[in-house]
Amino acid sequence: MDSSSIDKASTMVVATLTTPKKAAKGNLIGTWGFSAKAAGLTITEMQMTMQTGGTWTGSMKSAGDDKAEQFGGTWVSQGGSTYHINETQSYNSEFDVTLPSGRQY
């Protein structure tokens, strides 16, 4: 293996997204996860649990952090598999998410 191949292999980032079983049908409820790894080492990991009743909690830990950062907030359905999410614990931010509706394409 030449040095060019070694450089490419050592800088390749692998991202993994995990979703609840019913997410493909537009259901937000459950645990979501994201991780990114490079050269076998974890760069960052995030987990969010969306609960019935309109609340959610989450945590994120990046390489070099002593402990995971905690966050959470509220969410509300806007219909049509679209949700408005408020993060109220750490960043006071908000965004919209639209999931697949479960239709066959």
Side-chain angles (χ1 to χ4, degrees):
M1 181 180 285
D2 63 17
S3 64
S4 171
S5 297
I6 292 171
D7 289 342
K8 288 178 186 175
S10 66
T11 58
M12 188 172 94
V13 174
V14 177
T16 303
L17 176 67
T18 55
T19 64
K21 289 182 180 181
K22 295 183 181 179
K25 295 184 178 182
N27 190 335
L28 186 72
I29 304 300
T31 300
W32 297 75
F34 172 80
S35 67
K37 296 182 180 189
L41 301 173
T42 300
I43 299 169
T44 190
E45 290 182 308
M46 181 187 306
Q47 182 173 310
M48 296 170 55
T49 301
M50 311 306 275
Q51 295 130 357
T52 57
T55 61
W56 66 276
T57 58
S59 64
M60 179 174 66
K61 186 170 184 185
S62 297
D65 291 347
D66 290 333
K67 63 179 186 171
E69 179 179 355
Q70 304 297 312
F71 48 89
T74 60
W75 64 268
V76 62
S77 175
Q78 296 181 313
S81 301
T82 297
Y83 301 89
H84 186 76
I85 299 173
N86 288 301
E87 195 293 318
T88 58
Q89 199 170 347
S90 299
Y91 297 102
N92 200 27
S93 60
E94 55 187 85
F95 54 95
D96 293 331
V97 173
T98 301
L99 301 176
S101 64
R103 293 180 295 206
Q104 297 297 317
Y105 293 97

